[in-house]
Structures are given as C-alpha cells and as structure tokens.
Amino acid sequence: MTLPPGFDSKGATKVCKLQKSLYGLKQASRKWFAKFSSTLISHGFIQSKADYSLFTRSQGSSFIALLVYVDDIVIASNDISAVSAFTVFLHSVFSLKDLGPLKYFLGLEVARSDKGIVVSQRKYALDILEDSGVLGAKPVLFPMDPNIKLSRSDGELLSDPSSYRRLVGRLVYLTITRPDLSFSVQMLSQFMDSPRKPHMDDASRVLRYLKSSPGQGIFFPSASDLKLKAFCDSDWAGCPDTRRSVTGFCVFLGDSLVSWKSKKQHTVSPAEAEYRSMAAVTCEITWLLALLRDLQLPHPDAALVFCDSQVAIHIAANPVYHECTKHIELDCHIVREKIDQGIIRTLHVKSAHQLADLMTKALHRPVFQGLLSKMNVLDLFHSS
C-alpha cells in the first residue's frame, strides 16, 4: 500500500501499522471469518466439526442452521420469527443485505415447490456454451463415447492448451449439480498438462451433451425417508496408460442424491480396486453421519452400502488376512471397522442395477439415461 498524502517526505522510510485488516488483503478473508464465527458462537451457535462453514443453534423447538461462504450466507430454520430476530442482531454487528428466499447462490439456482427442491446451474452452463461458441452445435444425448479410450500419447498437441484447461476447470465446477458429468470431467482432467486434439474433441462432445440439457439438476423430494444408502464400484484397469482403476460412488439420503465421486485409483489389482471404492464411500458416509448429527437428524440404523463385487464384500466381512489381500494397505480396512461398529452394512447388488457405474465408465445412451433417472436428476426446463 502507499502512504496517504501528507505522510510521505523525501528520504523518509516509514511504514503503516494496520489496526485492522483491509478489504482485499490476503489476510482479510481469514480475519473476516474469525470475526464472524466468534460473533455467532457468542450468540449461542455451535461450529460444526464436519464442516467449519456450518453453524447451528438449537433453543427449545427452534433450530437454525447457517452456512457461510466468505461473505455470502444461507440461513435455514423451522422458526421464521427466530430468523428475523437473528438477522436483526447480525445487522447490528455487520452491514447486511437480505436477499429474501434462496434462489441463487454461488452459481447454483434453487427452485422449490410442494414436491421438493431442484438445484441446478443452468445460467452457468449456458455461459460456458456461449463462451465456447457451441450454442449452434448439434446436441448429443450422452457425454462420452464408450468405444473411445483417451491416452496421453495419441493425437496432436494443442497449440494453445490454455483454452482446454479453462474449459475443463469450468466443467469441474459444473459437476456440483451434474453427477452425469463426473466421469467425463474426471477423464478430461487427467490431460491438463499436455492436452491433445482427441482430448479437446471429447471435451467438445461434453459441451454438445450439455447443450441438450443445460438446466438439468438434482431433485430433492420433500417426501422421503432419511436413511443413508450408497453404491460403490470400480472399473477394471480402464486407463490405457497406467492400467489403473477408477473409484466411483454415489450416496443417497432417502431418495435424494447427496454425494458422489469419480476418481482414478493408485492400484491395478481388481480385488483391491473394488475394496478401495468401498473404503472411499465408507469415509464419505462417516462424514455425512457427523453432518447429520450437527443438523440434529439422528441415524440409528446402519447405512447400506451396495457393491457388485462379492470378493470385496467378503474381504470386508472376513477378519482373516488371505494371501491375496496382504498387499492392501491398512487404511482400507476402515470398512471392516465400521461394519464391526454397526455403522455400515454391505449388501450385494447385481451389476445391472449398480448406479455407481455412471461414475466409473462411459456408457451407451440407454444405460446412461436409465441410471440417471434413478438418481432423481431432471431438467425443469425440458419440454416433454
């Protein structure tokens, strides 16, 4: 920063001592959050250990949950009068602007009705299509061709890789509400250092798929139980360069899809790959259970984990170390620990009904659309 007028003089070597953090400094966000969180805690809120951006307060039958991202705040409660009194208190300490019922937050569009809530990123998706110049392109009905295997060495290097990196980076943020894009974006993200023409062609296909349903999002039904169930899967050495597998899982709270993931593993063993995918979803369920406790939603029953690998289920249930499982790292055996504690219960599901296939491999249209419909993913703007 520069000294204010009147403080500088020729040959002087003075500095300014800041009494408080100024907006725009790299320390400002940390100072703001510390100030905001201490104010909430002094007002009876409890900071979640599962998510430090979540604060909750329970007073009798009144419950308030507050989620903060920098200076954007979302408040949910079963008591409107308590929320009104709390916003008055916040306004007395900070300068706030009440934007009313939640409709748009960090690029997420929220639509609600008596049947439930739909969260999508339609405007963000249309912005990506417009910036990429594909609004006039012919749409496709599934994002990635199952017959194509992307490799790091095939095709000509792009002369300007920055456009590919920017596009994939924007698509990554779009997967917040688009589980149908998770596998495709995960594949495209592996070639950010040296993208080639086939990689850009596949990214263009993802954009053409996005054009077919830019308003697609997740539906959270209002009439649903609050029981956790999960599907986990892995492919079999699908990467042509490293022969490594991809972990995929999706977690439901009742009929609502609340968490999903698609990520390449560090192993090439088929049995270990399936078991690692089960370990990954077990960690996610453990975190979600802690989050549900903070939201005062008890979950006394064991969460159900569906896997189409009998071998992985056997490894998780059998405490005896076999010759073929000695190489599996100890961190993976969290599955067995959580089963013993009654936190999860593993069940077998036929491969034809494995929803996590959407996260581990490219699928043809009938299978892709069928699995997507079971995840309560829909497009409010699609005319049927």
Side-chain angles (χ1 to χ4, degrees):
M1 61 177 292
T2 57
L3 290 173
F7 282 86
D8 52 338
S9 59
K10 188 176 181 180
T13 55
K14 296 182 179 180
V15 297
C16 291
K17 180 181 179 182
L18 294 179
Q19 300 298 330
K20 63 178 181 178
S21 181
L22 297 180
Y23 190 86
L25 297 180
K26 62 180 181 180
Q27 301 93 343
S29 57
R30 179 184 291 272
K31 290 293 185 180
W32 151 254
F33 187 75
K35 171 66 175 177
F36 187 77
S37 58
S38 62
T39 302
L40 291 180
I41 292 172
S42 66
H43 203 63
F45 279 81
I46 299 175
Q47 189 173 18
S48 170
K49 301 301 181 185
D51 187 340
Y52 285 97
S53 299
L54 175 65
F55 298 83
T56 58
R57 188 185 71 181
S58 179
Q59 293 179 342
S61 60
S62 175
F63 178 78
I64 298 179
L66 183 146
L67 191 67
V68 57
Y69 180 82
V70 190
D71 56 355
D72 294 309
I73 305 168
V74 176
I75 301 175
S77 176
N78 60 352
D79 188 345
I80 297 179
S81 60
V83 172
S84 300
F86 174 64
T87 53
V88 170
F89 162 74
L90 278 184
H91 192 71
S92 66
V93 182
F94 307 100
S95 179
L96 298 179
K97 180 186 291 185
D98 189 352
L99 300 180
L102 181 63
K103 294 181 180 178
Y104 193 84
F105 182 71
L106 301 177
L108 308 182
E109 301 175 38
V110 181
R112 57 168 59 84
S113 69
D114 294 337
K115 295 182 179 179
I117 297 174
V118 175
V119 181
S120 66
Q121 293 170 277
R122 182 173 183 268
K123 182 182 181 302
Y124 182 74
L126 291 174
D127 288 343
I128 294 176
L129 295 175
E130 183 179 4
D131 293 346
S132 303
V134 295
L135 283 175
K138 182 179 179 180
V140 295
L141 298 177
F142 53 99
M144 186 167 280
D145 189 345
N147 299 318
I148 295 179
K149 294 290 185 182
L150 295 178
S151 172
R152 300 184 66 88
S153 57
D154 293 343
E156 180 184 352
L157 286 170
L158 296 179
S159 57
D160 180 19
S162 61
S163 59
Y164 178 87
R165 293 165 183 161
R166 182 172 184 270
L167 173 58
V168 175
R170 299 183 74 180
L171 290 175
V172 168
Y173 189 71
L174 193 58
T175 59
I176 293 176
T177 59
R178 299 291 297 258
D180 49 330
L181 297 179
S182 293
F183 176 75
S184 304
V185 174
Q186 176 268 141
M187 287 294 297
L188 296 173
S189 299
Q190 298 178 28
F191 312 107
M192 299 282 271
D193 57 334
S194 55
R196 297 175 179 267
K197 188 177 183 303
H199 309 149
M200 193 63 181
D201 292 341
D202 261 48
S204 299
R205 181 186 174 90
V206 172
L207 291 177
R208 291 168 57 201
Y209 166 72
L210 188 60
K211 184 179 183 295
S212 66
S213 55
Q216 192 161 270
I218 307 174
F219 175 58
F220 299 95
S222 55
S224 178
D225 60 37
L226 298 177
K227 305 297 182 183
L228 282 173
K229 61 180 178 182
F231 295 81
C232 63
D233 191 28
S234 74
D235 68 340
W236 189 1
C239 178
D241 297 316
T242 62
R243 309 307 300 167
R244 292 177 179 174
S245 301
V246 173
T247 285
F249 66 74
C250 50
V251 185
F252 293 82
L253 183 62
D255 297 326
S256 303
L257 180 63
V258 294
S259 182
W260 58 90
K261 189 174 188 178
S262 177
K263 183 179 180 181
K264 184 191 282 190
Q265 297 183 0
H266 298 291
T267 182
V268 295
S269 166
E272 184 180 353
E274 294 282 359
Y275 190 52
R276 278 189 174 275
S277 68
M278 193 181 293
V281 78
T282 299
C283 294
E284 187 72 7
I285 288 174
T286 304
W287 176 76
L288 286 171
L289 287 172
L291 203 59
L292 289 176
R293 284 194 296 270
D294 290 333
L295 296 173
Q296 297 191 353
L297 296 174
H299 195 281
D301 301 329
L304 304 180
V305 177
F306 293 92
C307 180
D308 59 4
S309 171
Q310 293 279 18
V311 175
I313 294 175
H314 180 70
I315 294 173
N318 194 341
V320 179
Y321 281 83
H322 295 283
E323 198 68 32
C324 62
T325 62
K326 284 183 177 179
H327 63 286
I328 297 180
E329 297 177 13
L330 290 177
D331 61 344
C332 283
H333 295 298
I334 188 175
V335 182
R336 187 176 303 153
E337 175 186 334
K338 299 303 179 182
I339 291 176
D340 292 340
Q341 294 174 358
I343 294 176
I344 68 169
R345 183 158 64 96
T346 55
L347 298 172
H348 182 259
V349 64
K350 293 183 178 179
S351 296
H353 304 295
Q354 176 57 275
L355 301 187
D357 275 352
L358 199 70
M359 308 293 168
T360 60
K361 53 186 72 72
L363 302 170
H364 290 286
R365 179 191 171 188
V367 180
F368 179 83
Q369 296 289 353
L371 294 180
L372 204 57
S373 64
K374 295 178 182 178
M375 292 184 174
N376 266 336
V377 177
L378 51 86
D379 188 351
L380 286 181
F381 304 89
H382 181 70
S383 58
S384 56

